[in-house]
Amino acid sequence: MRITPKLAKALAVTAIAGLSLTACGGSNDEPAASGSEAELALVNAGKLTVCSDIPYEPFEFVRDGENVGFDMDVAAALAEDLGVELNVVDSSFDAIESGLFATQCDVAISSVSITEERKGNMDFSDPYMDDDLTLVAKEGSGITDLESAKGMKVGVQQATTGAKYAAENGIEAVQFEDGGLQVQALKSGTIDAALGNQSVLGYAIKDDEQFQRVADFATGEQLGIAVKKGNTALLEEVNATLQRLTEDGSLEEFTATWFGATEE
């Protein structure tokens, strides 16, 4: 067939139109995620890489060789909505709260309290849980509040709001690298009391009658998902997932699964 200039132009227009339809429609087998990977600037193609400080039961811990917990359920839902694989990196909380997590992870999902100081190093999602502080001690320890805890061994997790609150209130606390070690020290008697978030410490002692929450502190803390500063595309997707999980009742289900009917 002889290709005239007019026919060549027509074929070119048809080809471009076909490519446009393919790009917009995507594959019939794999629906496109709500945001493209290029827009989201994922550190590993095809994966949502999540930094989390493990263990911090019941938010994130290892069971039968798998990372499980409240935050892990949220992370899995986010990866599913993005249409990518979930990849969890065990990170120190120091790296998370300083913002260094962004060098190897897309987000940090690790019971991170939203603070003005941390906002300077990372962007935060909408809050997904309220989580004030509490002081936990053994029955008969004589510790009833922060004043009576002064001079005693009070354990905190380093780099957390609990550690900061202890310092601000004159408590020379014993610092632990992670929440698991803090709880172990409390139950073994290495420390006299523990100061930290109500969710974790309340969960840790809920079935142990020898410990009690002796004082709660209304600090107004809320937990959020941390994203590399300036990555607005990914932040929008995170907030969209949190909104979905709230509206369809999933967050409530995650709470029931991992925290049960705990008393405040």
Side-chain angles (χ1 to χ4, degrees), residues 5-240:
K6 184 181 290 187
L7 179 57
K9 183 178 180 180
L11 290 172
V13 170
T14 302
I16 292 171
L19 287 172
S20 299
L21 287 172
T22 301
C24 293
S27 167
N28 291 330
D29 296 328
E30 296 181 7
S34 52
S36 73
E37 288 186 36
E39 292 172 340
L40 301 176
L42 300 180
V43 297
N44 295 302
K47 296 181 179 180
L48 176 70
T49 306
V50 176
C51 273
S52 194
D53 180 27
I54 303 170
Y56 197 63
E57 195 170 350
F59 285 96
E60 44 267 342
F61 61 102
V62 178
R63 175 191 288 169
D64 298 328
E66 294 186 3
N67 295 313
V68 298
F70 182 92
D71 280 343
M72 294 297 98
D73 283 351
V74 173
L78 176 57
E80 182 179 0
D81 284 355
L82 294 175
V84 295
E85 179 185 344
L86 176 61
N87 177 39
V88 178
V89 175
D90 186 3
S91 173
S92 72
F93 200 78
D94 280 306
I96 291 174
E97 73 100 24
S98 67
L100 289 176
F101 75 88
T103 62
Q104 62 175 335
C105 294
D106 302 303
V107 298
I109 307 180
S110 192
S111 185
V112 185
S113 295
I114 301 170
T115 69
E116 290 303 315
E117 183 179 358
R118 289 171 182 170
K119 284 181 181 179
N121 301 322
M122 64 199 79
D123 289 334
F124 277 104
S125 70
D126 297 330
Y128 65 90
M129 180 180 285
D130 297 329
D131 200 9
D132 287 333
L133 298 176
T134 190
L135 180 67
V136 172
K138 195 170 185 177
E139 289 271 9
S141 66
I143 298 175
T144 57
D145 53 22
L146 282 178
E147 191 62 33
S148 59
K150 291 180 179 179
M152 308 289 276
K153 292 182 179 179
V154 179
V156 298
Q157 183 181 353
Q158 65 188 29
T160 63
T161 52
K164 183 178 180 181
Y165 194 79
E168 290 174 345
N169 287 275
I171 301 293
E172 295 183 8
V174 180
Q175 301 210 13
F176 294 91
E177 185 176 354
D178 62 55
L181 293 174
Q182 179 192 23
V183 170
Q184 287 176 19
L186 176 68
K187 293 194 172 184
S188 67
T190 306
I191 56 177
D192 302 305
L195 177 62
N197 289 101
Q198 294 177 9
S199 59
V200 171
L201 292 181
Y203 176 86
I205 66 167
K206 68 184 180 71
D207 296 322
D208 196 332
E209 294 182 356
Q210 63 179 328
F211 294 99
Q212 61 179 336
R213 284 165 54 172
V214 296
D216 292 333
F217 311 102
T219 53
E221 286 190 47
Q222 294 181 307
L223 308 183
I225 295 175
V227 177
K228 182 178 180 179
K229 202 156 186 65
N231 192 344
T232 55
L234 181 54
L235 186 61
E236 288 175 0
E237 296 295 338
V238 170
N239 282 331

